[in-house]
Amino acid sequence: MENLEILTKKIHAKKDAKIKIMQFGEGNFLRAFVDWLVQKMNDSKKYSGHVVVVQPLENGRVKELASQDGLYTLILQGINEEGKPVKNHEIIDVLDDFINPYTEFDKYLKYAESKDLEVVVSNTTEAGICLDESDVSLDFSTTTPHSYPGKLLALLKRRYEVLKDEYPLAIIPCELIDDNGDKLKEVLVKLASLKGYSASLINYIEHVTHYTSTLVDRIVPGFPKDEFNDLCQEYGYIDNNMVKGEYFHLYVLKSEEFVEKKFPVHQVGLHAIYVDDIHPYKQRKVRILNGTHTTLVPVAYLAGFDEVRESLLDEDIMKFVTREQNEEIVPTVTTKDADKFASDVLQRFLNPYVHHKLMSIALNSISKFKERDLPTILDDIDSGRTPKYMCFAFASLIKFYDGYRIVDGKKETIALADTVEYIADFRKYWDNYYQDKDLNKLVDVVLSNVSFWGKDLTRVKVLRNEVFKWLEVILNSTSQKEAIKKVLD
């Protein structure tokens, strides 16, 4: 490594293009999916446009991306359409500018005035598209909003003030919530109303700006830490921003004429399509792939596993996941090919080239469980099924937020990454449990927390009783592995 240089424009020459896309989020998924798609669009010569990356949180990585001139290596591995193993890598060079709006808010707002800017994409997790009432009192002309919708509203406000209706934007969220485009527009309009903005500005936000909803599908393990040194030697340079993803990809966008014109990702030979109704694709993917991922994290991590593939090579974990999918998830999915999709998902999880860390999936697990798994559980119960495997996973999630696991007899702290208030609430709930040993109280206070789940789940008696039963099993078992065997009996 001593003789290797860091990847910059000295090593890889960048092409010139106007910045047409603003991207909220600098994480692994956007760089392995959307930015790769933008790269392919530019390579096809059917599109010319580069990206400015906006850091959505105060702590982020735009500085690290900027230090490499926006260049990074994307490694794609998996099985191709012919069933053959694929391993390739390429340098992505479409990221041209980087903004931390918490320290460069003027620069951020200046982009609102750009006539070249046409598209805004985002991936701020399921928790990102929500109304933050603390933004209402802020002056968006001088102060950085807290939330992603707040930041976007500040951008749209400045754009309207400078350019009026002449250069509308296409807004393309990638967050895994139903109707993400409609939801984002709804939050923007409500926040603008609460701030007392003019009717003409609200009309601009609601009717002049163009939104579409999306489904994104590619497993992205992220930074290949264990292979880093070897990969740097293989490529001949040091790349601290390299990212690994699976070969498979699917991008489904709701048809919207303006968006299709400004973001013609469907025209370059990729698995990217505009359709009239994305709901069947969304339900299938979110419930089967993302839902399984989210339930697997607490079940397998508490059992001592660190990676998706590693955990599924365990006979009991594989039985658990297979039964959960076939008996509880697939029956709630309306597409005809749900069972085949579930089988294909397990094969993707077992991709030997992809080392997907469970803890990389664990970010914001509460909102993820609410969006990805709770609807399935409730649909099962409404249909007369008792989803014991998903309720076991729910109980495991509650134990996961106790903040530790036992591995080989040793206690390990879990690096919980979620809303600060959620982590604090769980700590309080668990501390109270260790004092009074009242499991009924613990389960009821967790399930009745409307800020977690959007509703009081103690009113769903089947769910409440199943979660209580399996959390009791988990706490009374000698290990998570023993508890898993009990749910499989």
Side-chain angles (χ1 to χ4, degrees):
M1 298 277 285
E2 292 182 3
N3 298 322
L4 299 180
E5 290 189 40
I6 293 176
L7 175 63
T8 63
K9 288 188 288 187
K10 293 180 181 179
I11 294 175
H12 180 90
K14 295 187 70 172
K15 304 178 185 69
D16 292 326
K18 294 178 179 179
I19 292 179
K20 296 182 179 180
I21 301 170
M22 175 174 283
Q23 173 177 305
F24 283 85
E26 74 283 30
N28 292 321
F29 182 81
L30 283 176
R31 292 190 293 115
F33 189 77
V34 171
D35 295 329
W36 172 77
L37 292 168
V38 174
Q39 182 79 43
K40 293 303 182 188
M41 289 165 63
N42 279 272
D43 292 346
S44 74
K45 309 299 183 184
K46 295 181 180 180
Y47 179 85
S48 177
H50 281 187
V51 180
V52 54
V53 180
V54 179
Q55 182 174 297
L57 302 174
E58 289 192 67
N59 296 317
R61 301 193 69 253
V62 293
K63 185 176 181 180
E64 286 79 0
L65 294 175
S67 70
Q68 292 189 188
D69 300 320
L71 299 170
Y72 64 93
T73 310
L74 174 62
I75 306 146
L76 298 179
Q77 296 175 303
I79 306 300
N80 66 12
E81 291 83 353
E82 289 76 41
K84 297 179 180 179
V86 176
K87 178 183 178 182
N88 57 46
H89 70 277
E90 63 182 306
I91 294 175
I92 304 299
D93 59 14
V94 297
L95 307 186
D96 278 0
D97 200 5
F98 310 88
I99 301 173
N100 179 351
Y102 294 91
T103 58
E104 303 171 293
F105 193 54
D106 288 342
K107 178 182 177 181
Y108 168 69
L109 288 181
K110 193 67 179 175
Y111 263 98
E113 304 173 18
S114 169
K115 296 178 181 179
D116 295 327
L117 190 66
E118 297 177 339
V119 175
V120 175
V121 299
S122 65
N123 185 31
T124 55
T125 81
E126 287 88 333
I129 299 181
C130 62
L131 179 69
D132 187 337
E133 294 189 358
S134 66
D135 282 338
V136 175
S137 61
L138 300 180
D139 180 354
F140 282 2
S141 63
T142 59
T143 307
T144 307
H146 298 125
S147 68
Y148 163 53
K151 296 180 183 68
L152 182 55
L153 179 57
L155 185 88
L156 292 173
K157 180 176 182 291
R158 173 65 66 86
R159 191 171 185 85
Y160 174 70
E161 291 169 347
V162 175
L163 301 177
K164 300 303 179 184
D165 294 355
E166 293 186 48
Y167 296 89
L169 293 176
I171 310 294
I172 309 175
C174 295
E175 290 81 358
L176 284 174
I177 59 175
D178 288 341
D179 302 308
N180 47 21
D182 293 336
K183 177 64 175 178
L184 179 56
K185 178 168 70 170
E186 176 187 322
V187 173
L188 288 169
V189 170
K190 185 173 182 180
L191 181 57
S193 298
L194 289 172
K195 292 182 71 66
Y197 289 164
S198 68
S200 59
L201 174 56
I202 293 174
N203 179 72
Y204 173 80
I205 294 163
E206 188 170 12
H207 299 295
V208 178
T209 305
H210 298 262
Y211 305 81
T212 191
S213 294
T214 67
L215 164 72
V216 295
D217 193 356
R218 166 171 276 169
I219 297 172
V220 178
F223 183 72
K225 180 180 179 181
D226 297 338
E227 307 166 79
F228 177 67
N229 290 338
D230 291 339
L231 290 172
C232 288
Q233 293 293 344
E234 178 183 344
Y235 302 152
Y237 53 78
I238 297 170
D239 180 1
N240 295 308
N241 296 314
M242 65 174 65
V243 59
K244 178 181 281 192
E246 68 168 336
Y247 178 79
F248 175 91
H249 71 280
L250 176 66
Y251 198 21
V252 185
L253 305 93
K254 186 176 181 181
S255 294
E256 209 280 354
E257 184 178 359
F258 182 86
V259 177
E260 291 182 43
K261 179 181 178 181
K262 297 301 182 181
F263 196 69
V265 68
H266 58 310
Q267 296 181 358
V268 295
L270 301 169
H271 294 298
I273 54 176
Y274 282 91
V275 299
D276 291 334
D277 184 8
I278 70 170
H279 290 101
Y281 298 91
K282 172 82 76 171
Q283 185 198 53
R284 183 186 68 175
K285 189 260 181 175
V286 170
R287 292 199 178 195
I288 295 176
L289 190 151
N290 300 108
T292 303
H293 257 164
T294 301
T295 58
L296 179 65
V297 169
V299 172
Y301 194 77
L302 291 176
F305 297 101
D306 295 323
E307 296 182 356
V308 171
R309 182 174 186 271
E310 171 201 14
S311 70
L312 291 176
L313 292 176
D314 178 85
E315 182 179 358
D316 287 338
I317 297 288
M318 177 57 90
K319 282 182 182 178
F320 178 91
V321 170
T322 302
R323 291 182 188 179
E324 178 189 55
Q325 285 191 341
N326 294 340
E327 298 175 21
E328 299 174 1
I329 300 178
V330 168
T332 72
V333 177
T334 57
T335 57
K336 295 179 180 179
D337 61 348
D339 52 350
K340 182 182 184 303
F341 185 82
S343 176
D344 291 344
V345 160
L346 285 182
Q347 293 307 308
R348 290 166 64 188
F349 288 176
L350 289 167
N351 184 345
Y353 300 110
V354 173
H355 302 284
H356 201 176
K357 297 291 186 182
L358 291 167
M359 286 304 296
S360 72
I361 306 169
L363 175 66
N364 293 328
S365 284
I366 300 302
S367 61
K368 285 179 177 176
F369 196 93
K370 172 190 171 185
E371 297 292 339
R372 303 174 178 185
D373 297 295
L374 186 55
T376 302
I377 292 174
L378 297 177
D379 281 354
D380 275 324
I381 292 171
D382 286 344
S383 298
R385 291 182 294 270
T386 300
K388 71 171 186 176
Y389 300 108
M390 298 198 75
C391 286
F392 179 90
F394 202 163
S396 297
L397 181 68
I398 295 172
K399 184 65 181 76
F400 183 84
Y401 274 76
D402 191 11
Y404 75 91
R405 68 173 180 172
I406 303 297
V407 180
D408 296 328
K410 296 180 181 179
K411 187 174 182 178
E412 294 183 357
T413 299
I414 297 174
L416 298 172
D418 210 319
T419 303
V420 173
E421 291 79 8
Y422 292 178
I423 295 174
D425 282 347
F426 264 109
R427 184 69 273 139
K428 179 176 63 177
Y429 300 158
W430 276 107
D431 287 345
N432 289 339
Y433 167 76
Y434 288 123
Q435 288 181 3
D436 57 34
K437 297 296 182 181
D438 189 339
L439 188 58
N440 278 295
K441 180 180 175 183
L442 172 65
V443 170
D444 286 342
V445 74
V446 170
L447 295 186
S448 64
N449 190 322
V450 176
S451 65
F452 289 174
W453 321 115
K455 60 184 68 178
D456 181 355
L457 295 179
T458 61
R459 297 181 179 181
V460 185
K461 296 303 180 184
V462 173
L463 185 157
R464 189 269 175 204
N465 293 338
E466 282 292 301
V467 170
F468 175 87
K469 178 173 72 175
W470 294 118
L471 185 55
E472 187 175 43
V473 167
I474 291 167
L475 292 175
N476 290 333
S477 298
T478 58
S479 68
Q480 176 78 354
K481 290 184 178 180
E482 179 186 303
I484 292 169
K485 287 185 180 295
K486 290 177 181 176
V487 79
L488 290 173
D489 286 344

